[in-house]
Amino acid sequence: MIALVDCNSFYASCEQVFRPDLWGKPVVVLSNNDGCIIAANREAKALTDIAMFEPVFKIKKQLIAHNVTLFSSNYTLYGELSQRVMNTLYLFSPRVEVYSIDESFVDLHGFGHKNLKHYGNFIKETIFRNTGIPTGVGIAPTKVLAKLANKIAKKGPEHDHVFVIDSDAKRIEILKTTEIKSIWGIGRQQTKKLKEVGIHTAYQFTEMPLAWVRKEMTVVGERLWRELRGEPCMDMIEIPKPKKGIGTAKSFGRKLERLDLIEEACAYYISEVAEVLRAQKSCAMYLQVFLNTSSFSVNDKQYRNKQTVTLAIPTNNTFTLVTEARKILKAIYKPGYRYKKVGVNLTGIIPEAYVQGNLFESPKTEKHKELMQLFDTLNYKYGKGKVFSGLTGTRMKEWELVKADRSPRFTTQWSEILEVK
Amino acid sequence: MKLSKVGKLSRKQHRHTAGVSVQTGFPSPATHYLEPTIDLHQELITNADATFFVRVSSNEYAHLKIYNEAVLIIDRSTPALKGKLALVIIDGEFSIIKVPVSQGGSEAHKTFTLWGVINYVINKAI
């Protein structure tokens, strides 16, 4: 059996751990640039008359009127608490697949003799007790079914956030009442296609002949079909694959016209993504930079452009990448516009060890590597962005969007730990 | 060093050689006995994933021998046995109490929700 443990409205829950005054009250978390809502807890979701997907500036008044507490995102905190939750899962099984920041598969093979409902409950309660984060647990013979069990656990209050699919009769009963579109891995296109041939429930899908599934939906569909029938064919992935592309783009605090400030913001984003590259010991082959004006603005002239370059040698070196990014920016920047956003994307990601040198590679590469290591060590020890490329500049305040309502980093900074009076 | 043509000693310019250690001297007899330096975490923390640090910024809890600027080490996985110090929530606010006989009991406390048991109090020495 496999359990899917999923944190309930994770970002909002993280904020609430340290804010008991907000327990039971609506809480939302805003995106990196405070532009839109990326997480809402149950109480906030219940306010159905607020269009939560709208940009925040359009609905802020309504939110405040409904006593919703808004937080800027605090990924340092969420990441750290996520780590605690995932570590705690290892108390229950030696095999854990961290699927996302708030979801993990836990391999329960060999736990057959236990009462799995109780065990699921025990997992849920231990995580809450140790970390303060509420979770839901779905247990089933396969990953796809565990995902479905988890959904059911959340829906019915009678399940108390734990649901087990432990018999074929139960599985079939559930599949009969499950719409095909809510199956993990079935997209909008496929839903449409399936509905055209009269398949509306997950059960109908599992009753189709395998040959048909294979023909219409390839091996991916076959895997889903088998998993839904209770036959495990998705392995636990305990070591995450390196990302295929890494990018970041954030709106500026105010619209910028001057190239030099945009360059500094761009250099800062580059240093962020380069750090991620180095952390996963990989290099990028391509670099893309894009520059936009605000599409929400009615008065401003609109302009957007982007350009991608192939790097001479795949790299994760901040300085090399910053230099390349500046060249692109110079090429796509046009004066006379009020820019809202600059972004960078690194793609063609390969392991550091596979990078081939070329004839023109400078012998400085090794030195640079050491420098980058030192960079990362210092920034890890003394806090993000303490050491930076000179091209990043120091005028961050002039372009950065202030995360006005970021909570303290309760678990990573002595100066920001919880205070009790 | 080498003699220059005019017979003067010309010193080789001092070069920065970070990263290259030039060992002279006798090798340290401690080489095989090195151990990591004492780490407070080992002594004070048993379950890191359930441990949180909290700072007290008043003398409100002096009766519990917790003084201004004390750092509390809270382990949420520690059972809240009677008499243990704990960070709790009363009326939506954090407070520190000694756990009474029965949880949520009346003994001079209103109902409380446990946040975590305090395993250590680090007070500033005067």
Side-chain angles (χ1 to χ4, degrees):
Chain A
M1 299 290 264
I2 292 174
L4 177 72
V5 182
D6 176 35
C7 304
N8 305 341
S9 14
F10 182 57
Y11 297 168
S13 295
C14 289
E15 299 291 353
Q16 285 177 297
V17 170
F18 303 93
R19 291 289 302 272
D21 55 311
L22 298 179
W23 291 358
K25 294 188 178 143
V27 169
V28 297
V29 176
L30 311 181
S31 61
N32 236 330
N33 47 35
D34 285 358
C36 59
I37 293 174
I38 51 166
N41 67 355
R42 205 185 56 215
E43 289 79 2
K45 279 180 193 147
L47 303 168
T48 43
D49 51 329
I50 305 180
M52 294 285 182
F53 48 83
E54 288 278 357
V56 169
F57 72 88
K58 286 192 181 169
I59 50 171
K60 197 158 186 172
K61 269 190 192 145
Q62 274 177 288
L63 290 169
I64 291 165
H66 280 85
N67 234 337
V68 180
T69 309
L70 286 74
F71 285 97
S72 303
S73 40
N74 183 351
Y75 284 109
T76 311
L77 179 69
Y78 311 152
E80 208 268 355
L81 287 179
S82 165
Q83 194 75 55
R84 287 171 185 254
V85 171
M86 302 318 173
N87 288 348
T88 307
L89 288 173
Y90 282 97
L91 295 176
F92 302 100
S93 166
R95 281 174 47 116
V96 174
E97 175 188 336
V98 177
Y99 181 68
S100 72
I101 192 166
D102 60 355
E103 256 179 293
S104 272
F105 288 103
V106 182
D107 190 351
L108 299 182
H109 283 117
F111 288 64
H113 60 286
K114 297 219 185 233
N115 180 330
L116 287 170
K117 170 89 181 169
H118 282 176
Y119 201 60
N121 224 17
F122 182 46
I123 295 178
K124 182 193 82 176
E125 263 155 29
T126 308
I127 293 174
F128 182 72
R129 190 198 157 101
N130 287 14
T131 66
I133 300 292
T135 54
V137 183
I139 303 177
T142 68
K143 276 184 163 180
V144 175
L145 288 171
K147 193 94 181 168
L148 184 57
N150 184 283
K151 246 186 197 171
I152 296 167
K154 276 193 181 159
K155 261 192 211 148
E158 71 278 13
H159 304 309
D160 198 18
H161 294 280
V162 181
F163 190 77
V164 187
I165 302 178
D166 49 5
S167 71
D168 234 26
K170 214 166 169 183
R171 178 182 67 83
I172 290 169
E173 183 198 322
I174 285 156
L175 291 184
K176 279 183 175 166
T177 54
T178 303
E179 275 187 274
I180 190 70
K181 70 165 186 210
S182 49
I183 294 297
W184 183 43
I186 301 253
R188 203 177 295 171
Q189 283 301 324
Q190 279 179 327
T191 306
K192 211 176 135 198
K193 202 158 124 191
L194 288 167
K195 281 194 172 160
E196 273 166 17
V197 291
I199 299 173
H200 296 276
T201 69
Y203 181 70
Q204 287 174 315
F205 175 63
T206 59
E207 287 299 289
M208 293 302 282
L210 177 57
W212 182 87
V213 175
R214 211 181 272 161
K215 185 169 159 262
E216 296 293 322
M217 300 169 72
T218 71
V219 66
V220 183
E222 176 183 344
R223 225 180 281 152
L224 274 178
W225 183 84
R226 285 182 191 276
E227 286 253 324
L228 281 173
R229 290 166 66 105
E231 181 188 335
C233 47
M234 289 176 164
D235 286 331
M236 295 279 289
I237 305 162
E238 287 166 88
I239 300 150
K241 286 192 193 122
K243 288 183 186 169
K244 291 219 177 79
I246 302 170
T248 185
K250 290 166 217 166
S251 299
F252 303 125
R254 58 187 176 82
K255 288 174 191 143
L256 297 181
E257 286 176 65
R258 278 164 47 195
L259 178 62
D260 58 340
L261 280 177
I262 299 173
E263 277 180 338
E264 289 186 11
C266 181
Y268 184 80
Y269 299 159
I270 288 276
S271 59
E272 279 188 336
V273 288
E275 205 178 299
V276 176
L277 268 187
R278 294 194 294 272
Q280 63 173 41
K281 296 205 183 311
S282 47
C283 289
M285 291 195 276
Y286 313 106
L287 165 69
Q288 182 190 63
V289 177
F290 62 88
L291 185 62
N292 293 347
T293 52
S294 166
S295 50
F296 282 112
S297 171
V298 208
N299 304 325
D300 288 334
K301 283 186 293 176
Q302 298 289 318
Y303 172 71
R304 53 175 61 221
N305 203 351
K306 64 182 174 197
Q307 211 174 76
T308 308
V309 293
T310 308
L311 299 157
I313 301 166
T315 186
N316 55 23
N317 182 298
T318 301
F319 297 100
T320 316
L321 290 167
V322 167
T323 312
E324 292 302 322
R326 275 165 68 106
K327 283 186 205 158
I328 302 180
L329 259 187
K330 281 215 171 77
I332 61 176
Y333 169 84
K334 273 193 197 170
Y337 291 95
R338 285 155 44 81
Y339 293 99
K340 183 65 186 162
K341 188 189 263 185
V342 70
V344 297
N345 283 317
L346 292 170
T347 47
I349 308 243
I350 55 167
E352 205 171 39
Y354 293 178
V355 174
Q356 290 179 345
N358 76 16
L359 262 179
F360 311 104
E361 186 175 7
S362 103
K364 280 182 185 158
T365 314
E366 267 307 306
K367 281 267 175 228
H368 272 157
K369 210 181 238 174
E370 277 174 43
L371 178 63
M372 284 295 112
Q373 269 167 13
L374 189 64
F375 230 71
D376 293 338
T377 319
L378 286 170
N379 282 334
Y380 183 73
K381 195 165 169 188
Y382 297 106
K384 189 174 141 104
K386 277 275 147 55
V387 187
F388 52 87
S389 149
L391 296 174
T392 308
T394 51
R395 292 178 292 179
M396 209 164 158
K397 282 204 184 87
E398 291 185 49
W399 56 264
E400 194 192 30
L401 210 153
V402 189
K403 291 188 185 176
D405 308 300
R406 182 178 63 71
S407 54
R409 288 165 293 178
F410 292 109
T411 57
T412 51
Q413 294 292 329
W414 276 110
S415 56
E416 297 181 25
I417 63 174
L418 181 68
E419 210 171 281
V420 174
K421 282 188 182 135
Chain B
M1 271 186 284
K2 62 175 186 189
L3 278 172
S4 71
K5 277 181 192 161
V6 281
K8 270 187 182 168
L9 269 176
S10 79
R11 271 176 207 279
K12 207 177 159 191
Q13 273 216 323
H14 181 74
R15 286 180 61 196
H16 181 64
T17 52
V20 183
S21 93
V22 185
Q23 283 195 344
T24 51
F26 197 74
S28 164
T31 310
H32 301 299
Y33 301 91
L34 287 180
E35 291 179 353
T37 307
I38 278 183
D39 175 5
L40 265 179
H41 268 57
Q42 278 185 334
E43 176 73 10
L44 304 181
I45 294 173
T46 43
N47 186 352
D49 295 315
T51 299
F52 294 87
F53 300 107
V54 172
R55 204 184 297 275
V56 176
S57 58
S58 77
N59 272 316
E60 182 86 5
Y61 305 103
H63 62 287
L64 298 170
K65 299 200 175 77
I66 300 173
Y67 304 104
N68 193 18
E69 289 185 67
V71 171
L72 313 175
I73 300 182
I74 296 180
D75 182 347
R76 291 180 54 114
S77 64
T78 306
L81 302 177
K82 181 201 160 199
K84 279 263 190 194
L85 288 176
L87 183 68
V88 298
I89 292 122
I90 298 171
D91 294 337
E93 278 187 42
F94 282 115
S95 184
I96 298 165
I97 61 162
K98 204 169 243 189
V99 178
V101 189
S102 58
Q103 272 211 31
S106 57
E107 282 182 33
H109 294 294
K110 291 185 242 173
T111 46
F112 64 84
T113 310
L114 178 73
W115 197 88
V117 168
I118 300 169
N119 275 358
Y120 290 93
V121 177
I122 308 175
N123 277 314
K124 267 212 163 140
I126 300 157

